[in-house]
């Protein structure tokens, strides 16, 4: 039985994760971490990881990048695995995550959906076949409450494509101020915010007289919660290292 603590327990995703775990027999929630400590289930919620009275096997984080330092400090001190499902990390914070993974197991991905990770693999295959013959544009759509733009998933997709294309491409986020023709070595990334869109990503390959579009859409946040819980159960007992959805799928 994997013992889990939810960081961001009183947020929408925290509630969804707790609900998913409630229906499982291979894991249980023993605590929550949140600035709001109002309880809603049969586990205590505290403000800081250091206040936990029982050591978990794994902490699932759906909170805010500002929580990272406290989580890493606690996890490395008590040898606790981390599932980091928060988006909006800076490059410096990602470097901290990579360093910490040398000491503890960390599951880190910009998107916990199995489908979006399959989309990335399909896009990499398309990029390897189409090479420099097609222009590449990425469009991501999310609800009007999302703070970061572009989404972490859009960046993950762009990085995967760029890696496939030998890191020869650069990213363009804002085209309205660019009075020039499109560079063949660019990947355009565009953000749309509105209503209650959970998450949609389109990868568009545009060639001469033909367009190929790979798309993924999410109808419920439950998809991300289920992925995070599966990652937590998978990570329990693993050696130190940096893990992502690719290893989970292959296991």
């Amino acid at each position: 039985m994997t013992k889990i603590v939810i960081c961001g327990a009183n947020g929408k995703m925290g509630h969804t994760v707790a609900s998913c775990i409630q229906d499982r027999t291979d894991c249980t929630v023993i605590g929550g971490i949140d600035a709001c400590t109002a309880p809603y289930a049969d586990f205590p919620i505290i403000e800081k990881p250091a206040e936990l009275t029982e050591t978990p096997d794994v902490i699932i984080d759906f909170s805010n990048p500002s929580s990272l330092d406290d989580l890493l400090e606690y996890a490395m001190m008590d040898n606790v695995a981390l599932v980091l499902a928060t988006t909006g990390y800076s490059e410096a914070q990602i470097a901290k995550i990579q360093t910490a993974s040398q000491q503890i197991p960390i599951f880190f991905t910009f998107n916990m959906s199995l489908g979006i990770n399959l989309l990335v693999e399909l896009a990499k295959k398309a990029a390897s076949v189409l090479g420099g013959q097609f222009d590449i544009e990425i469009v991501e759509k999310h609800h009007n409450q999302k703070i970061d733009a572009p989404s972490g998933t859009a960046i993950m997709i762009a990085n995967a494509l760029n890696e496939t294309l030998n890191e020869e491409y650069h990213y363009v986020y804002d085209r309205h101020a660019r009075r020039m023709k499109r560079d063949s070595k660019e990947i355009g990334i565009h953000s749309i915010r509105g209503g209650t869109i959970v998450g949609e990503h389109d990868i568009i390959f545009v060639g001469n007289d033909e367009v190929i579009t790979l798309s993924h859409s999410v109808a419920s946040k439950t998809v991300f919660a289920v992925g995070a819980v599966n990652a937590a159960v998978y990570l329990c007992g693993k050696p130190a290292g940096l893990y992502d959805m690719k290893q989970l799928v292959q296991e």
Side-chain angles (χ1 to χ4, degrees):
M1 177 72 73
T2 302
K3 296 185 295 183
I4 296 173
V5 162
I6 304 170
C7 185
N10 259 315
K12 291 181 180 178
M13 283 306 304
H15 279 254
T16 305
V17 170
S19 178
C20 289
I21 294 175
Q22 194 174 31
D23 298 327
R24 297 180 62 140
T25 58
D26 56 354
C27 55
T28 185
V29 181
I30 63 168
I33 302 169
D34 203 294
C36 173
T37 59
Y40 58 89
D42 60 352
F43 56 85
I45 300 177
I46 43 84
E47 290 189 19
K48 299 286 185 179
E51 299 172 16
L52 291 169
T53 57
E54 183 179 357
T55 303
D57 297 310
V58 187
I59 296 176
I60 296 177
D61 179 35
F62 270 110
S63 59
N64 186 283
S66 62
S67 301
L68 181 65
D69 286 346
D70 284 344
L71 286 174
L72 291 178
E73 181 181 359
Y74 173 83
M76 287 189 290
M77 184 178 298
D78 285 29
N79 195 32
V80 174
L82 294 176
V83 174
L84 300 177
T86 298
T87 61
Y89 288 121
S90 67
E91 290 185 7
Q93 288 177 311
I94 293 174
K96 287 182 178 181
I97 292 168
Q98 292 170 336
T99 299
S101 70
Q102 298 173 18
Q103 184 176 330
I104 58 173
I106 297 179
F107 194 101
F108 175 55
T109 180
F110 288 106
N111 194 301
M112 286 290 170
S113 159
L114 177 61
I116 200 72
N117 284 275
L118 174 59
L119 179 76
V120 171
E121 295 303 314
L122 294 173
K124 288 167 62 178
K125 177 63 176 177
S128 68
V129 172
L130 302 175
Q133 305 173 62
F134 282 60
D135 296 324
I136 304 172
E137 298 284 311
I138 299 170
V139 180
E140 57 95 352
K141 308 171 190 176
H142 285 86
H143 52 86
N144 57 24
Q145 300 300 302
K146 186 172 178 60
I147 297 173
D148 57 311
S151 68
T153 302
I155 297 297
M156 177 180 74
I157 294 168
N159 287 344
L161 294 175
N162 203 13
E163 181 180 349
T164 301
L165 297 168
N166 301 315
E167 305 288 351
E168 296 178 353
Y169 285 65
H170 62 277
Y171 307 156
V172 174
Y173 304 99
D174 187 2
R175 212 178 288 282
H176 82 277
R178 295 171 60 87
R179 302 289 296 175
M180 61 184 72
K181 294 181 179 180
R182 189 188 194 283
D183 184 352
S184 63
K185 293 295 185 180
E186 73 178 48
I187 297 176
I189 305 177
H190 314 279
S191 300
I192 294 172
R193 297 289 176 267
T196 58
I197 301 172
V198 177
E200 298 181 11
H201 291 84
D202 294 331
I203 308 167
I204 308 168
F205 296 88
V206 188
N208 293 328
D209 303 321
E210 59 181 331
V211 178
I212 301 169
T213 302
L214 301 176
S215 299
H216 179 269
S217 62
V218 175
S220 167
K221 292 178 181 293
T222 302
V223 170
F224 308 125
V226 170
V229 176
N230 286 340
V233 173
Y234 163 80
L235 205 60
C236 183
K238 287 288 189 295
L242 195 60
Y243 300 83
D244 59 23
M245 193 62 72
K246 185 179 296 183
Q247 287 97 334
L248 180 59
V249 172
Q250 291 174 348
E251 187 89 343

